Every structure is written in structure tokens, then in C-alpha cells.
């Protein structure tokens, strides 16, 4: 006859979680639609109720990974639903299970992927293209074009839609809160983009653009 493992795989809850993961995997649009329908919270609640149920824990982890992967909004939803604590509890409920440990570790990494934003940023084609410095000693000649600024903003919009990054600013009034594109300010842009991009070469953003001297027509102060 069928093993207990195979019977568990065919339980309605396990099948529902598997189907959800298949529907949203690789589609940010589907992830977003599922997120606004409370799918993240439902999966986390299922995980919390799945104490000592190895199959359901792993299927819930896979569904959570599929929901949050490259979707900042769902990563934030998982954090608000206390996914970190509940994942830890699920792992503790099945001591010694390598399968559960692996599932939980991958789910935890997916939820907290925004914490590795510096590494993620460095690996992008956008950042690699800027891995250089053309010194311009006279700061008054470090102009940037409107097109340069538009490219920066468009990149950051996409980046913040993929990764839930918590404001790292030590003196920021929103420290520890999710940085959102619609409320992004210059201090946050400095912390999550400008400094990580420029620190390697210890030069300004205008210098890593590599255009050399560009006398500005306008000076805009924040």
C-alpha cells in the first residue's frame, strides 16, 4: 500500500498549497493578486497550525517562497504576519527533520531577502555597468543629466518592487520600516543605492557615470 508520506502528499491541504505555489511561481503579477487576497497570511496561518506535520510544513514553506520571491509587498506581508517566528516554531515542532530544516531555511531566506540588498544590488547589470570611476576633482563640474536621474529612479523603482528593504538610516524616523517607492526620499536613496554603488571606488555617483566633466546648468537642492 501507499506510504504515510505519499498519503500526506495527497491530503487536501498539501494539494491546495502545492497548487497555489504553482500558480504564483515566477509571476509577480500573480503574486501580487494573491497577496491582496491575503494568501500570504493564510499560508503563514496554515504553517502555524501544521505543528509536527512534516508534509504540510514543507508545502506551506514552498507556497510562501513562491509568494514572496521577488515581490517586496508579499515579503512585507509575511513579516507583518510574524512569519519568522512561526517558521522557527514549525522547525522546532519536528526536531531532527532535515527536510523540514531545509524547507524552513529556504522560506526564511526568501522572506528576509531584502536584508541582502547590497549583495543583490551588486549583482545587477545596472550596478556592474557602473563598476568604475572617472575622477572629476572639481565638484562643481560633476553634473548629471536628467536622463541619468531617470534611469536611476526607474532602476530603484524596479528594485524596491522586488525586495522589501527596511530603512537602515540610523537617524531616520522610519528606521526599520519598509522603504516604499511611493514614499522614497533622498536619504533612503543614499543608503540603499548611492553609497553601496560608490563605496568601492570611493567616488561620487557623477564620477562613476564616467562622463567626465559636465558643467551643470542647474543646481537642485533637497
Amino acid at each position: 500500500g501507499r506510504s504515510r508520506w505519499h498519503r500526506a502528499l495527497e491530503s487536501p491541504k498539501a494539494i491546495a498549497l502545492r497548487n497555489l505555489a504553482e500558480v504564483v511561481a515566477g509571476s509577480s503579477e500573480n503574486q501580487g493578486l494573491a497577496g491582496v487576497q491575503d494568501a500570504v497570511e493564510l499560508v503563514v496561518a496554515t504553517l502555524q497550525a501544521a505543528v509536527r506535520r512534516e508534509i504540510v510544513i514543507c508545502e506551506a514553506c514552498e507556497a510562501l517562497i513562491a509568494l514572496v520571491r521577488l515581490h517586496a509587498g508579499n515579503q512585507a506581508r509575511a513579516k507583518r504576519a510574524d512569519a519568522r517566528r512561526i517558521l522557527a516554531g514549525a522547525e522546532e515542532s519536528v526536531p531532527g527533520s532535515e527536510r523540514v530544516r531545509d524547507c524552513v531555511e529556504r522560506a526564511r531566506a526568501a522572506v528576509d531577502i531584502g536584508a541582502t540588498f547590497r549583495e543583490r544590488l551588486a549583482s545587477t547589470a545596472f550596478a556592474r555597468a557602473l563598476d568604475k570611476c572617472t575622477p572629476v576633482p572639481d565638484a562643481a563640474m560633476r553634473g548629471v543629466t536628467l536622463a541619468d536621474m531617470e534611469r536611476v529612479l526607474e532602476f530603484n523603482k524596479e528594485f524596491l518592487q522586488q525586495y522589501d528593504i527596511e530603512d537602515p538610516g540610523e537617524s531616520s524616523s522610519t528606521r526599520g520600516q519598509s522603504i516604499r517607492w511611493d514614499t522614497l526620499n533622498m536619504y533612503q536613496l543614499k543608503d540603499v543605492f548611492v553609497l553601496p554603488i560608490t563605496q568601492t571606488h570611493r567616488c561620487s555617483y557623477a564620477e562613476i557615470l564616467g562622463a567626465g566633466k559636465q558643467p551643470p546648468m542647474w543646481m537642485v537642492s533637497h
Side-chain angles (χ1 to χ4, degrees), residues 82-96:
D82 210 8
R84 294 157 166 156
R85 179 185 63 79
I86 291 168
L87 283 166
E91 182 177 6
E92 291 170 1
S93 77
V94 194

Side-chain angles (χ1 to χ4, degrees), residues 23-70:
V23 168
V24 302
S27 170
S28 60
E29 181 180 1
N30 287 349
Q31 290 166 3
L33 290 171
V36 298
Q37 295 296 322
D38 298 330
V40 174
E41 291 83 354
L42 288 170
V43 168
V44 173
T46 299
L47 188 61
Q48 186 173 27
V51 177
R52 294 186 296 277
R53 298 173 64 188
E54 191 171 356
I55 286 290
V56 177
I57 289 173
C58 282
E59 294 291 357
C61 284
E62 295 300 337
L64 185 59
I65 291 167
L67 282 165
V68 305
R69 180 169 288 159
L70 300 183

Side-chain angles (χ1 to χ4, degrees), residues 116-192:
T116 63
F117 75 88
R118 287 177 177 270
E119 294 88 340
R120 303 290 167 182
L121 175 61
S123 69
T124 64
F126 190 95
R128 290 197 300 271
L130 298 176
D131 189 18
K132 61 186 185 299
C133 181
T134 302
V136 180
D138 185 356
M141 292 293 104
R142 296 176 189 170
V144 295
T145 67
L146 178 60
D148 289 332
M149 294 303 298
E150 288 175 337
R151 282 193 291 270
V152 168
L153 292 175
E154 184 59 32
F155 171 79
N156 277 274
K157 180 179 181 179
E158 294 177 2
F159 198 69
L160 290 172
Q161 288 171 340
Q162 294 180 13
Y163 304 107
D164 179 48
I165 303 172
E166 297 175 2
D167 190 341
E170 292 184 3
S171 58
S172 173
S173 62
T174 58
R175 179 174 173 79
Q177 297 179 26
S178 297
I179 296 177
R180 293 167 39 196
W181 165 251
D182 58 348
T183 58
L184 178 69
N185 61 48
M186 288 296 293
Y187 299 103
Q188 294 168 336
L189 186 65
K190 175 204 70 173
D191 287 334
V192 305

